[in-house]
Structure formats: structure tokens, C-alpha cells
Amino acid sequence: MEKKRKLRGKWLLALGALLMAVALGMLQTQPSVLQYCIIAPQEEAAAAPDAAQAEQQPETQQESAPSQSALSGLISSWNARVEEDLAEVLESASIAARDYGFAFSGAGGSATATLTAVGENWFSVYPRYLVSGRLMSADELRDGARVIVLDEPLAFKLFPTADPLEGKVQIGAAWYSVIGVVRYARGVGEYEQHQAYIPLASAAKDALQMEIVEVSGRPLPRSGASRTFETAAETWNAGGTFVDTDKEAMRGSIIARVLAIVLGMYLILYLLRRVNRRAAAFGSGIRARLKTEYLRVMLPSLLPRGLLLGALYALLIGAAYGVLTLAIEPMYVFTEWIPDVLVELSSITERFWQLTSAAARPVLIRTREYAEIRFWSGMLRWGAVAFLTGALVMAFSARSGKKKNAE
């Protein structure tokens, strides 16, 4: 019975360690991005030609009659906000709008996918691997050209027997020319299986009704970009959801960090006791030999052992520094956790209610990256539970075994 219980404990330990290792690895691969999402504004219905008329009209005639769009004001105000407040703290910034479950039709078929209308620099914030063709140029993004980039599975569904780069895709009443195909592997944070990208300016021009609008930026290291970006985004359009992927990834890995700190401190103290015993024995040996030998005669034999003990103590100090860094690092990331005055009850209470109010927001818009981080964070928590359960089972089994042997 005890052997079976110990075996279960080992399996739980192994399973927990495996789940935590996979989840931590996936959390480390998340991009360092700041995001702010709002519900897309409602577009006014605009009179638009039917598909046949739109296809027959010359491109210049289609471009000369842009529709009024609520997206246009958001685009211009965000670009102004980036120039005024964020240029010094971000490597790149962009704005995009998304619509999930959008119906596409091409020459050879139809499919549903997530339509992402991207602004300038979007592919710098979220790089995509180009399989064929090209991505949108700066002029196309700025002017709102009717061009589209598809992922590989979507391109195959819409053009099963033809070259997608020679085809067009209907979006609303307009036809968009396919200019590129990108590689795509569905992640756990994706709602739809397929993806398509068009210029945001063209979505505004055609008054496409989107579901969410997302502004994003890649922060410069140690620039305080997170707080600056959140403030600028709230000023741009209040009431949205702010996501710092670095902060969310650390939040999700806190339980693994705590386990690493506890186990690290236990291991350091255990090794320190072992090294101290060796150092004490070494000192006792020196004192005993000094009664019969001169120190200068003993030095050649004592020096290697002394250097080894010094190196072991140095390694333990380095390990303790690493554990201390693990413990302190979250304080630099989650600065909102720290009250203005650490010893003042009113300051602590105010900060507590600020945090609970933020956690109880009635509307939360999830980005793909945020959803993926939440998934792997959940797996990490379950791995920690399995690991701790296995450790408890093995400890209980070992204690029971000792009692039986004593009896």
C-alpha cells in the first residue's frame, strides 16, 4: 500500500513539474506588448453600390467617394496621442479593429474568419511570416487601398484551384485584391481558425462595422511605458481594457515563483548546513595539526580545500541573491500594489479598494495575447497543485513508513 501511495506521489510530482515547465515556457514566448481595447463605435448605414456595380466601377471612382466613418476620428486622435505622449517610450505603436466571424467569399469558395483592419506599423508590433506576395505598403495603409492579406488555410479555402495573388475577395459591397499570404498557426487565444488583414483606413472608408478597436505598442526597456501608455489610452478613449502582457505573464507565473523561492531557500539552507559542517571539520583538523606541524608546511595541502570551501560559500551567496531577486522583482512590475505610505492604514486601505475596483470591472475585452496568457496561467496553477499534492503524498507515505519501522 505504501509503495503504491509513493508511486502515485511520484507520478503527481512528475506531472506537475511537466505542466509547469510547459506553461512557463509558453508564457516566456509571449510578446512584450501594451494593449488597450474598446468596443468599436457604431457605424451609420451608408448608401453603397451593390457588388456588381462596385466591381464594374473604376478604382479611381470608388476611391473618390469615401464614406463617413466613426473609425476615422479614432484613427486621427490616436495618431496624435502617439506623437504627443508616446513617441519617447514606445518602439512602435499602431491601431487596429477586429470583427470575428466575418464571412468572406472568393472565386472558388467562402469561409468565415477574423477580419483585422490594421493601421500603420501594425506588422511591426505583431510580425507575421510572409509565405508569398507582400504585406501592405505604408501608402496603402495610409490611403486605405482595397487590398487584403490572407493566412494560408483561408487562402486555400477561398482559392482552392487558383493562385490567390491573382484573385479578389468580397468584403461588404467592395472587392479587395489579394496581395499576400502569411503563415498562420492557430494559438489557444484565437477565437476563429482563420485570419485576414486589410488596411484600417479602407475599413473606415467603407464604413465596415467592427467589433473591437485595439491600440498597441512595443515598450522601450526601462522607460515606464506601461503607466504612460495606459494614461494616454484612457485620455484617448476612456472605459477600455488595458493589458500589459509582461505584467500578465508575471501575474500568471507568481505561483511558480513562490514555489521556486520556497524550494530555493530550503535547498540553500540545507546546503549551507552541509558546508558549515565541512568548514567546522576543516577548522578542527587545522587546529589538531597545528599542535604537531608548522602552518607554512600545512599551507600547500590546506589551500585547495580552503579555496573549495570559499567557492561553495560564494555559490550559496549567489544563489541567495538570485532567490532574493525572484522575491523582489514583482514589486518593480506591480507598482500599483505598493501603497504611497507603507505604514499608514488609510493609504493601505485606499490602495486595496483601488485594486479590487479594477478587478471587478463589469466590462473586460480580451485580446488574443491576454486569452493565451490566461490559458497557460491556468495550466501552471494546475501543475502547481499536482506538484504540491504529490509532495504531500510522498511526505505522508515517508512518515507512515517511519512509524511502521519504529513499531
Side-chain angles (χ1 to χ4, degrees), residues 253-281:
S253 62
I254 282 292
I255 189 169
R257 185 178 293 266
V258 172
L259 283 175
I261 292 170
V262 173
L263 293 176
M265 288 302 300
Y266 174 80
L267 184 60
I268 289 171
L269 293 175
Y270 172 77
L271 293 175
L272 182 61
R273 288 195 296 268
R274 297 285 300 270
V275 175
N276 284 339
R277 284 199 293 267
R278 288 181 176 273

Side-chain angles (χ1 to χ4, degrees), residues 272-337:
L272 182 61
R273 288 195 296 268
R274 297 285 300 270
V275 175
N276 284 339
R277 284 199 293 267
R278 288 181 176 273
F282 180 62
S284 299
I286 293 175
R287 287 192 296 271
R289 292 178 63 183
L290 282 174
K291 295 178 180 179
T292 58
E293 298 181 51
Y294 289 107
L295 180 62
R296 59 184 177 83
V297 177
M298 296 163 49
L299 278 178
S301 61
L302 296 177
L303 191 59
R305 292 186 63 187
L307 291 175
L308 178 60
L309 286 172
L312 290 174
Y313 278 114
L315 287 174
L316 290 175
I317 292 172
Y321 176 80
V323 171
L324 184 63
T325 301
L326 281 177
I328 294 177
E329 190 177 7
M331 297 177 64
Y332 293 99
V333 176
F334 299 101
T335 54
E336 67 273 15
W337 291 359

Side-chain angles (χ1 to χ4, degrees), residues 30-150:
Q30 298 303 312
S32 177
V33 180
L34 304 174
Q35 302 170 322
Y36 186 82
C37 298
I38 61 172
I39 300 296
Q42 291 294 317
E43 300 288 354
E44 295 182 2
D50 59 27
Q53 292 174 344
E55 190 174 15
Q56 292 174 0
Q57 287 178 350
E59 183 71 18
T60 55
Q61 185 177 346
Q62 293 183 31
E63 300 288 344
S64 64
S67 303
Q68 295 296 324
S69 170
L71 279 176
S72 301
L74 291 177
I75 298 170
S76 58
S77 60
W78 172 249
N79 291 336
R81 185 61 56 190
V82 170
E83 293 180 4
E84 293 175 9
D85 301 331
L86 301 175
E88 296 182 357
V89 297
L90 298 180
E91 292 181 1
S92 55
S94 187
I95 180 173
R98 284 195 176 90
D99 186 70
Y100 301 97
F102 196 91
F104 294 87
S105 59
S110 60
T112 59
T114 297
L115 174 64
T116 304
V118 303
E120 296 181 61
N121 300 320
W122 192 88
F123 288 108
S124 298
V125 181
Y126 301 100
R128 293 292 185 267
Y129 183 85
L130 192 63
V131 176
S132 61
R134 61 179 178 83
L135 299 176
M136 305 156 196
S137 66
D139 290 338
E140 289 170 334
L141 291 170
R142 184 174 55 253
D143 299 336
R146 289 192 175 94
V147 293
I148 187 170
V149 175
L150 309 174

Side-chain angles (χ1 to χ4, degrees), residues 10 29 32 35 56 113 126 145 154 167 185 207 226 230 259 276 280 328 330 346 361 364 372 378 382 394:
K10 290 181 179 179
T29 63
S32 177
Q35 302 170 322
Q56 292 174 0
Y126 301 100
L154 181 59
S226 182
E230 183 178 9
L259 283 175
N276 284 339
I328 294 177
S346 60
R361 295 186 65 173
L364 178 65
E372 187 168 358
W382 280 111
M394 291 189 66

